[in-house]
Amino acid sequence: MANATQPTAASDERIKEISAFRKAMIRPELGGIVGTIAVFTFFLLFAFDSGMFNSQGIMNWSIVSAQFMVIAVGACLLMIAGEFDLSVGSMIGFAGMMIAIFSVTYGWPVWLAIITTFVLCTAIGGFNGWIVIRTGLPSFIVTLAFLFILRGFTIFLPQVIERKTIIGGILDVAEGDWLAPIFGGKILGGVFTWLGDAGLIATFERGTKQGQPVVDGIPMLIVWAIVLILFGHALLTKTKFGNWIFAAGGDAEAARNSGVPVNRVKILMFMFTAFCATVFAVCQVMEFGSAGADRGLLKEFEAIIAVVIGGALLTGGYGSVLGAALGALIFGVVQQGLFFAGVESSLFRVFLGVILLGAVILNTYIRRIITGER
Amino acid sequence: MSDDSRFHHGEPANAAPIIEMKNIKKHFGRVIALAGVSFDVKPGECHCLLGDNGAGKSTFIKTMSGVHKPTAGEIYFEGKPMRFEDPRDAIEAGIATVHQHLAMIPLMSVSRNFFMGNEPETKVAGISFFDKKTADAVTMEEMRKMGINLRGPDQAVGTLSGGERQTVAIARAVYFGAKILILDEPTSALGVRQTSNVLATIDRVRKQGIGVVFISHNVRHALAVGDRFTVLNRGQTLGTATRGEISPEELQDLMAGGQELAQLEGSLGGTV
Ligand SMILES: Nc1ncnc2c1ncn2[C@@H]1O[C@H](COP(=O)(O)OP(=O)(O)O)[C@@H](O)[C@H]1O
Ligand SMILES: [Mg+2]
């Protein structure tokens, strides 16, 4: 053993120097970044004249993307923690309906209706998580049950109480409320007026709004999306709790043995997912002025797809909030872009399926690189 | 088992044990995994727990590390009765465990694994953040001490070899001031070179005054570093022997419960 050729660990000849390319591959956001560039390149080339990139068009796909982002952040952290929530879409419908029932039917102040709904929905999310932990059943099944339970109540309650499935009139009762504008308002109106006056963005040419910019501010939904993304990203990568999220999803048993409170982490992530769904619901209700029994349909899958496009592993323990946000952006841009380009909207589903499959295959490959299986 | 007389329960104490487990029983429903096992660990010794697969070794050390609560039996930690409600309690008391299959999370970086459950924090504007800089620096330094040169603190544990993973886990336990280090079959999946690295690490850890519990079903590995040896067979202990009191053949016999293996060994020419 004492000969001179004994390799030191520093320059073990069998460990290949990892190439810059492979290093970049390991970043979970990679798929999202490449996808975003590809999607924008495509639409800039083929749909530039469609109005997709004027102020109104940009606002259009930004809002749709922001919707996806809000629910993707929750789904992302939950997936990294090793669980799914299939009840997100039903939760959106349910939360919206509860706000309408509390404020319109029962006449509560809107702020109270919103806060009560947040408490109720995060509690249901926590209950979901508690059942998953307690029974040891896959979250897939438990939340599938809640997909039906919540949707059922969302249809049943307004029918019993108001004899209809859509409750409107929320904007009237929200008039003057202090909390409602946090979800339904717009910011930076002055900037857009200035942009309009300066001729940088289009203004209305006639009618009562003549001279006003066609885009009159940034909806709070977009602000929520940005805040949630920044919060989720910081939580995941910059805090102790974030390390626990990775650990809980990477290997719950190993994490527990190291003293990580896995159950608490998972239940909190279920609650956060429900919180995000409720944010989505409140913004939507404030935008439409009504709550409908069919709101939020299929949103759980869209959130999960955005997260997977963003590089997270379906098996947990790996992923990125920024990646999920890019996944949501791709989602929104393509959905609206195809609309602008006049492509038959059913083709969007084809696109979704293809990109989902591609993303999952890519992620599996990346996982092998990380764990050194090849 | 005529050599039974060689075993005697407990050694004349030259140091007080850090932990003393008395008559530990553990039942899983109708399965009796442990039928009354006594075991103790002194500072600076390597106490080997030997036994064949299914003997109850992992179950036993899990009662020591707070994963399982014993069905019956007493645990004394530094002379005082102790009950561990969960692994955190045991870790806080100073019992670090490297579990057989589940020590590390392959998808996470070495530095995140190293500090898993013990993350250092810094405050920025009143909010506590994970102190990645410290975590990375400490990880690199501790790994260097153990003779592992990482590409970087962000290298995923999945890219490390089995021996390196064991070493990371051991380094982690030592760094966090463990009084007792439990290693559940750290060498069972390793090659010759990696095994000798791990055994050397055990020796280094022991010299720092830490009590090491080394689980193995390989007598040669145990004899290479062990100070005392306890054999577990079908959930029961046959007592504890001190180094020099017992031969490899006798240990082997006790582990397998005697006869059959002796016969097999005869027919294979003593290579088992
Ligand atoms: N959680 C459990 N539930 C039921 N039986 C178990 C459990 N854990 C271990 N056992 C049983 O206890 C016995 C001892 O297992 P174990 O401690 O893992 O053995 P060893 O580590 O010595 O190979 C085995 O028969 C095993 O099937
Ligand atoms: Mg075992």
Side-chain angles (χ1 to χ4, degrees):
Chain A
M1 288 296 259
N3 59 37
T5 58
Q6 186 187 349
T8 62
S11 62
D12 194 325
E13 75 287 353
R14 292 160 310 157
I15 298 176
K16 274 195 298 192
E17 268 305 306
I18 197 154
S19 70
F21 171 70
R22 273 169 92 88
K23 219 172 203 163
M25 287 292 291
I26 291 176
R27 290 191 64 82
E29 299 92 359
L30 178 86
I33 293 170
V34 171
T36 306
I37 294 171
V39 160
F40 273 99
T41 310
F42 178 84
F43 283 108
L44 280 168
L45 287 177
F46 295 104
F48 187 74
D49 299 329
S50 63
M52 188 181 166
F53 293 100
N54 63 30
S55 59
Q56 240 174 330
I58 291 173
M59 192 50 76
N60 176 294
W61 53 255
S62 296
I63 290 174
V64 174
S65 301
Q67 287 183 337
F68 290 130
M69 285 174 187
V70 166
I71 47 175
V73 173
C76 177
L77 292 183
L78 185 64
M79 195 186 289
I80 296 173
E83 305 291 341
F84 287 105
D85 189 350
L86 294 187
S87 69
V88 165
S90 298
M91 183 68 87
I92 289 170
F94 180 77
M97 194 53 77
M98 293 322 287
I99 288 170
I101 290 175
F102 289 146
S103 63
V104 176
T105 310
Y106 292 159
W108 294 8
V110 171
W111 61 266
L112 185 62
I114 293 175
I115 291 173
T116 310
T117 303
F118 266 106
V119 172
L120 179 66
C121 290
T122 40
I124 294 172
F127 185 55
N128 257 329
W130 183 79
I131 296 175
V132 169
I133 299 291
R134 257 325 168 79
T135 59
L137 290 169
S139 49
F140 182 81
I141 293 300
V142 173
T143 57
L144 182 63
F146 273 85
L147 180 155
F148 288 107
I149 294 170
L150 290 174
R151 184 63 70 192
F153 277 122
T154 310
I155 300 167
F156 173 76
L157 292 177
Q159 276 183 333
V160 168
I161 298 170
E162 291 248 345
R163 307 215 145 274
K164 52 191 177 188
T165 53
I166 296 181
I167 299 181
I170 293 170
L171 292 186
D172 299 335
V173 295
E175 198 77 49
D177 189 84
W178 63 270
L179 190 56
I182 305 284
F183 297 92
K186 289 183 177 174
I187 59 164
L188 301 180
V191 174
F192 284 89
T193 310
W194 179 83
L195 286 172
D197 292 344
L200 293 171
I201 58 174
T203 50
F204 288 107
E205 304 200 329
R206 52 176 159 264
T208 51
K209 287 188 174 178
Q210 188 179 358
Q212 291 177 22
V214 288
V215 174
D216 59 354
I218 295 180
M220 283 305 291
L221 173 71
I222 294 180
V223 177
W224 271 103
I226 292 168
V227 168
L228 284 173
I229 291 164
L230 294 180
F231 170 79
H233 178 68
L235 181 74
L236 185 63
T237 60
K238 305 270 187 271
T239 71
K240 167 163 126 174
F241 193 84
N243 210 34
W244 294 356
I245 296 176
F246 280 121
D251 189 329
E253 214 47 48
R256 256 185 215 114
N257 290 341
S258 299
V260 174
V262 171
N263 295 353
R264 200 166 84 212
V265 170
K266 290 198 173 190
I267 290 176
L268 278 170
M269 286 305 99
F270 273 103
M271 294 172 77
F272 181 66
T273 307
F275 176 87
C276 291
T278 312
V279 169
F280 182 109
V282 182
C283 289
Q284 194 182 47
V285 162
M286 291 304 155
E287 188 196 345
F288 292 178
S290 67
D294 61 345
R295 297 274 162 79
L297 225 49
L298 290 181
K299 285 293 169 210
E300 55 281 334
F301 291 110
E302 295 172 354
I304 289 171
I305 294 170
V307 173
V308 171
I309 295 174
L313 288 177
L314 286 162
T315 42
Y318 187 76
S320 144
V321 173
L322 295 183
L326 289 176
L329 180 64
I330 293 172
F331 217 124
V333 169
V334 173
Q335 182 178 315
Q336 297 312 104
L338 292 180
F339 169 76
F340 275 102
V343 175
E344 167 62 35
S345 69
S346 49
L347 286 182
F348 177 61
R349 290 163 199 249
V350 176
F351 161 81
L352 259 195
V354 171
I355 199 171
L356 174 64
L357 200 57
V360 172
I361 292 170
L362 179 69
N363 291 353
T364 314
Y365 172 68
I366 289 174
R367 179 212 183 94
R368 289 215 198 98
I369 295 182
I370 304 166
T371 54
E373 284 167 39
R374 72 190 241 191
Chain B
M1 285 208 200
S2 53
D3 287 318
D4 227 332
S5 58
R6 271 267 174 92
F7 281 86
H8 49 94
H9 290 264
E11 260 286 298
N14 37 19
I18 307 171
I19 194 167
E20 227 181 325
M21 317 277 294
K22 284 191 180 160
N23 209 14
I24 300 294
K25 294 182 179 155
K26 179 69 192 176
H27 301 175
F28 295 106
R30 287 170 54 214
V31 180
I32 301 173
L34 299 172
V37 177
S38 298
F39 189 86
D40 66 312
V41 189
K42 293 171 188 167
E45 74 161 349
C46 174
H47 192 160
C48 297
L49 184 60
L50 292 146
D52 213 347
N53 287 331
K57 305 181 297 294
S58 296
T59 307
F60 179 70
I61 60 100
K62 281 178 182 167
T63 65
M64 207 188 296
S65 62
V67 176
H68 292 324
K69 283 179 207 138
T71 311
E74 290 146 52
I75 303 177
Y76 295 90
F77 191 81
E78 296 180 328
K80 288 187 281 285
M82 182 71 113
R83 255 183 85 83
F84 300 127
E85 289 302 321
D86 59 34
R88 243 193 141 83
D89 286 353
I91 292 167
E92 266 158 31
I95 301 176
T97 312
V98 181
H99 288 280
Q100 188 168 4
H101 306 293
L102 306 160
M104 293 273 141
I105 299 183
L107 282 167
M108 279 164 65
S109 72
V110 176
S111 111
R112 280 182 177 273
N113 263 289
F114 195 93
F115 284 94
M116 178 167 60
N118 280 305
E119 294 81 0
E121 293 192 294
T122 48
K123 277 204 190 283
V124 180
I127 306 168
S128 295
F129 287 99
F130 176 44
D131 188 355
K132 191 164 183 300
K133 224 189 222 160
T134 305
D136 287 352
V138 170
T139 305
M140 291 304 278
E141 175 58 26
E142 295 299 314
M143 290 300 99
R144 208 165 17 243
K145 280 191 206 160
M146 288 285 182
I148 296 180
N149 280 290
L150 297 175
R151 272 198 300 269
D154 287 332
Q155 187 177 347
V157 159
T159 60
L160 299 179
S161 72
E164 288 172 326
R165 283 187 215 194
Q166 290 291 345
T167 309
V168 175
I170 294 170
R172 171 172 74 177
V174 173
Y175 178 78
F176 287 107
K179 294 172 184 159
I180 291 184
L181 174 62
I182 302 170
L183 303 171
D184 193 353
E185 308 222 9
T187 56
S188 64
L190 303 186
V192 180
R193 172 90 164 267
Q194 294 190 349
T195 297
S196 65
N197 279 341
V198 170
L199 296 182
T201 308
I202 291 175
D203 186 45
R204 210 165 338 143
V205 169
R206 167 176 60 188
K207 284 191 179 124
Q208 299 179 25
I210 295 170
V212 179
V213 179
F214 174 30
I215 298 180
S216 180
H217 59 238
N218 187 314
V219 171
R220 281 186 302 121
H221 296 174
L223 280 166
V225 286
D227 297 305
R228 288 195 294 161
F229 308 89
T230 296
V231 177
L232 212 55
N233 196 341
R234 296 174 152 272
Q236 282 176 313
T237 167
L238 298 163
T240 300
T242 311
R243 184 180 193 80
E245 279 185 351
I246 189 159
S247 70
E249 293 74 27
E250 286 167 322
L251 269 182
Q252 190 82 274
D253 261 11
L254 285 165
M255 273 173 61
Q259 282 71 13
E260 314 107 77
L261 199 75
Q263 283 167 12
L264 186 63
E265 197 166 341
S267 65
L268 292 175
T271 51
V272 180

